[in-house]
Amino acid sequence: MSVISEEKVRGGNVFKDIGADDGDWEPTEIESLCMNCYQNGTTRLLLTKIPFFKEIIVSSFSCPNCRWSNTEIQSAGRIQDQGICYTLRVKTKQDLNREVVKADSATTRIPELEFEIPPFTQKGALSTIEGLLDRAVAGLEQDQTVRRATHPEVAEKIEGFIQKLKKLKEVENEFTLVIEDPSGNSFVENPNAPQKDEALIVSRFKRTVQQDIQLGLRADDDDDDDGDNLEEEPAANDLDAMRNEVLVFNTNCPECNAPASTNEVKSGGATEEQGTKITLHITDPSDMTRDVLKSETCSVLIPELEFELGMAAVGGKFTTLEGLLKDIKDLIVSKNPFICGDSSTTDRVQKLSDFGEKIDKIIAGEMDVHFVLDDLAGNSYLQNVYAPEPDPEMTVEKYTRSFEQNEELGLNDMKTEEYQEEKKELPAEAERTE
């Protein structure tokens, strides 16, 4: 049995990008029991990374006695702060080749067929859209022999549905694939990166209490969603004392998953009544020194590059415009395993390399582009170097959020009417004290 060497673990290089020259990085092999014939087989574990995603553990079991085999993936990262939902409009056969990470906590739906795979009924998988369809077909066909003998009518209906699933692979008609994962650890590839994927909608959502229980984040008997178990709010004088302090929260490093402290900027204010869209026309290298406060609810757009970065992709940051552009380049190019090893293609590598060169030209002042910060919560900022005079190269636009945008921020479910009524009933002296 081989194991991951102590040197690699000690060096922090446990999760590695898969490449063609990684012959020395062998999977861990463990002798384990075959659940088919109950003799010994071999489980192989490989710790690797997924592009635009995070670390995963790929496991494969094979039995030399009965030839039974099985593969699955498990997320090696922490459960994310929010759930994630991918809605893909499959229009061509090329869409079937998109790579997919489906965690075991994810629900898969095809609305056109009223088909749904509930969470925790399948193990996690690293596959493609076509692979997910094949897996669904294989699951339905598994007990068809028994059904034909015992319940022929049911078997006939299931066979008809199987044929519909198989026909989807011909993509004669467009269909929708939805992967909704409360753990936030599923993923669908954007083959057009760094450009926006018009066929793919990615949204994040707040988990329900039931979903927290399913993920093991709450006890089974903890179904209180009224906030009774929340800590008591700090008094007004405590809040005054906290305003001039830097608060440090424990978390896990997004690179190696080791314990660390937060280095991310989060807004301490309320969500504004309107969203804010800030557009800067970059005309000079000195624009790179402008201060930028990008909240985690802010998207970044560069229209000339047909580039859009969704909110929370690089988290909240207080930096300069140059620093933010370098972070974007690192995310799209430097830290993207799709441009190296077996996952790479010539077109993809060239496209992403060209994008990185264009970002460098913007930083050097060699490209005339517009840089847009679009913050649904209205909590982002870009420095006006002409203050207090208006900035001739920058526009700030306030806009009313749509219902869908409020839903993305979790505002539609917030109820403040009772609080407002209670506040109106307070005596004038109590309001001044408050």
Side-chain angles (χ1 to χ4, degrees), residues 57-86:
I57 300 174
V58 182
S59 63
S60 172
F61 175 83
S62 61
C63 177
N65 303 293
C66 66
R67 303 298 178 186
W68 186 71
S69 62
N70 184 34
T71 59
E72 66 173 293
I73 70 161
Q74 295 178 359
S75 173
R78 64 181 179 86
I79 293 175
Q80 304 305 302
D81 295 333
Q82 292 181 305
I84 195 164
C85 180
Y86 292 91

Short mmCIF file of all heavy atoms in Angstrom, two decimals, residues 57-86:
data_model
loop_
_atom_site.label_atom_id
_atom_site.label_comp_id
_atom_site.label_asym_id
_atom_site.label_seq_id
_atom_site.Cartn_x
_atom_site.Cartn_y
_atom_site.Cartn_z
N ILE A 57 -11.65 15.12 -3.17
CA ILE A 57 -11.05 13.80 -3.04
C ILE A 57 -11.77 12.88 -4.02
O ILE A 57 -12.98 12.67 -3.91
CB ILE A 57 -11.19 13.25 -1.61
CG1 ILE A 57 -10.49 14.19 -0.61
CG2 ILE A 57 -10.60 11.85 -1.51
CD1 ILE A 57 -10.71 13.81 0.84
N VAL A 58 -11.03 12.35 -4.99
CA VAL A 58 -11.58 11.40 -5.96
C VAL A 58 -11.25 10.00 -5.47
O VAL A 58 -10.08 9.68 -5.23
CB VAL A 58 -10.98 11.62 -7.36
CG1 VAL A 58 -11.62 10.65 -8.36
CG2 VAL A 58 -11.18 13.06 -7.81
N SER A 59 -12.25 9.16 -5.30
CA SER A 59 -12.02 7.80 -4.84
C SER A 59 -12.57 6.81 -5.86
O SER A 59 -13.60 7.05 -6.49
CB SER A 59 -12.69 7.55 -3.47
OG SER A 59 -14.08 7.68 -3.56
N SER A 60 -11.85 5.70 -6.02
CA SER A 60 -12.24 4.66 -6.97
C SER A 60 -12.01 3.30 -6.32
O SER A 60 -10.93 3.04 -5.79
CB SER A 60 -11.41 4.78 -8.25
OG SER A 60 -11.64 3.68 -9.10
N PHE A 61 -13.03 2.45 -6.37
CA PHE A 61 -12.91 1.10 -5.81
C PHE A 61 -13.02 0.08 -6.93
O PHE A 61 -13.86 0.21 -7.83
CB PHE A 61 -14.00 0.82 -4.77
CG PHE A 61 -13.99 -0.59 -4.27
CD1 PHE A 61 -13.13 -0.98 -3.25
CD2 PHE A 61 -14.83 -1.55 -4.82
CE1 PHE A 61 -13.11 -2.29 -2.79
CE2 PHE A 61 -14.82 -2.86 -4.38
CZ PHE A 61 -13.95 -3.23 -3.35
N SER A 62 -12.18 -0.94 -6.88
CA SER A 62 -12.27 -2.04 -7.84
C SER A 62 -11.99 -3.35 -7.12
O SER A 62 -11.15 -3.41 -6.23
CB SER A 62 -11.27 -1.84 -8.98
OG SER A 62 -9.94 -1.81 -8.49
N CYS A 63 -12.73 -4.40 -7.52
CA CYS A 63 -12.57 -5.71 -6.91
C CYS A 63 -12.08 -6.69 -7.98
O CYS A 63 -12.77 -6.91 -8.99
CB CYS A 63 -13.91 -6.19 -6.33
SG CYS A 63 -13.83 -7.85 -5.62
N PRO A 64 -10.91 -7.33 -7.79
CA PRO A 64 -10.40 -8.28 -8.78
C PRO A 64 -11.16 -9.60 -8.78
O PRO A 64 -11.03 -10.40 -9.72
CB PRO A 64 -8.95 -8.48 -8.34
CG PRO A 64 -8.97 -8.23 -6.86
CD PRO A 64 -9.99 -7.17 -6.65
N ASN A 65 -11.97 -9.83 -7.76
CA ASN A 65 -12.67 -11.12 -7.64
C ASN A 65 -13.97 -11.15 -8.44
O ASN A 65 -14.23 -12.07 -9.20
CB ASN A 65 -12.95 -11.42 -6.16
CG ASN A 65 -11.67 -11.43 -5.34
OD1 ASN A 65 -10.82 -12.29 -5.49
ND2 ASN A 65 -11.54 -10.44 -4.44
N CYS A 66 -14.80 -10.10 -8.25
CA CYS A 66 -16.09 -10.08 -8.95
C CYS A 66 -16.15 -9.00 -10.03
O CYS A 66 -17.18 -8.83 -10.68
CB CYS A 66 -17.23 -9.88 -7.96
SG CYS A 66 -17.22 -8.26 -7.14
N ARG A 67 -15.06 -8.24 -10.20
CA ARG A 67 -14.95 -7.20 -11.21
C ARG A 67 -15.88 -6.01 -10.97
O ARG A 67 -16.11 -5.20 -11.86
CB ARG A 67 -15.22 -7.76 -12.62
CG ARG A 67 -14.31 -8.91 -13.01
CD ARG A 67 -12.87 -8.49 -13.04
NE ARG A 67 -11.97 -9.60 -13.37
CZ ARG A 67 -10.65 -9.52 -13.35
NH1 ARG A 67 -10.08 -8.39 -13.01
NH2 ARG A 67 -9.91 -10.58 -13.65
N TRP A 68 -16.39 -5.90 -9.76
CA TRP A 68 -17.26 -4.76 -9.46
C TRP A 68 -16.40 -3.52 -9.21
O TRP A 68 -15.33 -3.61 -8.59
CB TRP A 68 -18.12 -5.06 -8.23
CG TRP A 68 -19.15 -4.00 -7.95
CD1 TRP A 68 -20.28 -3.74 -8.66
CD2 TRP A 68 -19.14 -3.07 -6.86
NE1 TRP A 68 -20.99 -2.71 -8.10
CE2 TRP A 68 -20.31 -2.28 -6.98
CE3 TRP A 68 -18.27 -2.82 -5.80
CZ2 TRP A 68 -20.62 -1.26 -6.09
CZ3 TRP A 68 -18.58 -1.80 -4.91
CH2 TRP A 68 -19.75 -1.04 -5.06
N SER A 69 -16.85 -2.36 -9.67
CA SER A 69 -16.10 -1.12 -9.47
C SER A 69 -17.06 0.02 -9.16
O SER A 69 -18.26 -0.05 -9.46
CB SER A 69 -15.26 -0.78 -10.71
OG SER A 69 -16.10 -0.56 -11.83
N ASN A 70 -16.50 1.08 -8.58
CA ASN A 70 -17.32 2.22 -8.19
C ASN A 70 -16.41 3.43 -8.04
O ASN A 70 -15.27 3.31 -7.62
CB ASN A 70 -18.04 1.94 -6.86
CG ASN A 70 -18.97 3.07 -6.48
OD1 ASN A 70 -19.56 3.72 -7.34
ND2 ASN A 70 -19.08 3.34 -5.19
N THR A 71 -16.91 4.60 -8.41
CA THR A 71 -16.16 5.85 -8.25
C THR A 71 -17.05 6.90 -7.62
O THR A 71 -18.28 6.88 -7.81
CB THR A 71 -15.64 6.38 -9.59
OG1 THR A 71 -16.76 6.60 -10.46
CG2 THR A 71 -14.68 5.40 -10.24
N GLU A 72 -16.45 7.83 -6.89
CA GLU A 72 -17.19 8.93 -6.31
C GLU A 72 -16.22 10.04 -5.95
O GLU A 72 -15.00 9.85 -5.97
CB GLU A 72 -17.96 8.50 -5.05
CG GLU A 72 -17.07 8.09 -3.90
CD GLU A 72 -17.85 7.84 -2.63
OE1 GLU A 72 -18.41 8.80 -2.09
OE2 GLU A 72 -17.90 6.68 -2.19
N ILE A 73 -16.77 11.24 -5.67
CA ILE A 73 -15.94 12.34 -5.20
C ILE A 73 -16.52 12.86 -3.89
O ILE A 73 -17.70 12.69 -3.60
CB ILE A 73 -15.86 13.50 -6.21
CG1 ILE A 73 -17.22 14.21 -6.30
CG2 ILE A 73 -15.39 13.04 -7.56
CD1 ILE A 73 -17.14 15.58 -6.89
N GLN A 74 -15.66 13.47 -3.11
CA GLN A 74 -16.06 14.14 -1.88
C GLN A 74 -15.37 15.48 -1.82
O GLN A 74 -14.21 15.61 -2.21
CB GLN A 74 -15.69 13.31 -0.65
CG GLN A 74 -16.42 11.99 -0.54
CD GLN A 74 -15.97 11.21 0.68
OE1 GLN A 74 -15.11 11.64 1.43
NE2 GLN A 74 -16.55 10.04 0.86
N SER A 75 -16.08 16.50 -1.37
CA SER A 75 -15.46 17.81 -1.22
C SER A 75 -14.51 17.78 -0.04
O SER A 75 -14.83 17.28 1.03
CB SER A 75 -16.54 18.89 -1.00
OG SER A 75 -15.93 20.12 -0.70
N ALA A 76 -13.30 18.31 -0.27
CA ALA A 76 -12.32 18.39 0.81
C ALA A 76 -12.34 19.76 1.48
O ALA A 76 -11.59 20.01 2.42
CB ALA A 76 -10.92 18.10 0.27
N GLY A 77 -13.16 20.65 0.97
CA GLY A 77 -13.27 21.98 1.56
C GLY A 77 -14.43 22.07 2.54
O GLY A 77 -15.21 21.14 2.71
N ARG A 78 -14.54 23.22 3.12
CA ARG A 78 -15.62 23.41 4.10
C ARG A 78 -16.93 23.69 3.39
O ARG A 78 -16.95 24.03 2.20
CB ARG A 78 -15.28 24.60 5.00
CG ARG A 78 -15.19 25.93 4.27
CD ARG A 78 -14.82 27.05 5.22
NE ARG A 78 -14.72 28.32 4.51
CZ ARG A 78 -15.72 29.13 4.26
NH1 ARG A 78 -16.95 28.79 4.64
NH2 ARG A 78 -15.55 30.27 3.63
N ILE A 79 -18.04 23.52 4.09
CA ILE A 79 -19.35 23.90 3.55
C ILE A 79 -19.38 25.42 3.42
O ILE A 79 -18.99 26.15 4.32
CB ILE A 79 -20.46 23.39 4.48
CG1 ILE A 79 -20.49 21.86 4.46
CG2 ILE A 79 -21.82 23.95 4.05
CD1 ILE A 79 -21.47 21.25 5.43
N GLN A 80 -19.83 25.89 2.28
CA GLN A 80 -19.80 27.32 1.99
C GLN A 80 -20.86 28.07 2.79
O GLN A 80 -21.80 27.48 3.33
CB GLN A 80 -20.01 27.55 0.49
CG GLN A 80 -19.01 26.80 -0.38
CD GLN A 80 -17.58 27.13 -0.03
OE1 GLN A 80 -17.16 28.28 -0.07
NE2 GLN A 80 -16.80 26.11 0.32
N ASP A 81 -20.69 29.41 2.85
CA ASP A 81 -21.61 30.24 3.62
C ASP A 81 -23.03 30.23 3.04
O ASP A 81 -24.00 30.40 3.76
CB ASP A 81 -21.10 31.68 3.69
CG ASP A 81 -19.79 31.79 4.44
OD1 ASP A 81 -19.55 30.93 5.31
OD2 ASP A 81 -19.01 32.72 4.17
N GLN A 82 -23.13 30.04 1.73
CA GLN A 82 -24.43 30.01 1.06
C GLN A 82 -24.52 28.81 0.13
O GLN A 82 -23.50 28.27 -0.31
CB GLN A 82 -24.65 31.30 0.25
CG GLN A 82 -24.80 32.55 1.09
CD GLN A 82 -25.04 33.77 0.21
OE1 GLN A 82 -24.26 34.07 -0.68
NE2 GLN A 82 -26.13 34.48 0.46
N GLY A 83 -25.73 28.41 -0.15
CA GLY A 83 -25.94 27.38 -1.15
C GLY A 83 -25.77 27.97 -2.54
O GLY A 83 -25.73 29.19 -2.71
N ILE A 84 -25.66 27.11 -3.54
CA ILE A 84 -25.47 27.58 -4.91
C ILE A 84 -26.40 26.81 -5.85
O ILE A 84 -26.68 25.62 -5.63
CB ILE A 84 -24.00 27.42 -5.34
CG1 ILE A 84 -23.70 28.24 -6.59
CG2 ILE A 84 -23.63 25.95 -5.55
CD1 ILE A 84 -22.24 28.45 -6.86
N CYS A 85 -26.87 27.51 -6.87
CA CYS A 85 -27.77 26.89 -7.85
C CYS A 85 -27.29 27.24 -9.25
O CYS A 85 -27.11 28.41 -9.59
CB CYS A 85 -29.21 27.39 -7.65
SG CYS A 85 -30.40 26.67 -8.81
N TYR A 86 -27.07 26.20 -10.06
CA TYR A 86 -26.67 26.37 -11.46
C TYR A 86 -27.87 26.01 -12.34
O TYR A 86 -28.42 24.91 -12.22
CB TYR A 86 -25.50 25.46 -11.82
CG TYR A 86 -24.20 25.82 -11.13
CD1 TYR A 86 -23.86 25.25 -9.91
CD2 TYR A 86 -23.30 26.71 -11.72
CE1 TYR A 86 -22.66 25.56 -9.28
CE2 TYR A 86 -22.10 27.03 -11.10
CZ TYR A 86 -21.79 26.46 -9.89
OH TYR A 86 -20.61 26.77 -9.27
#
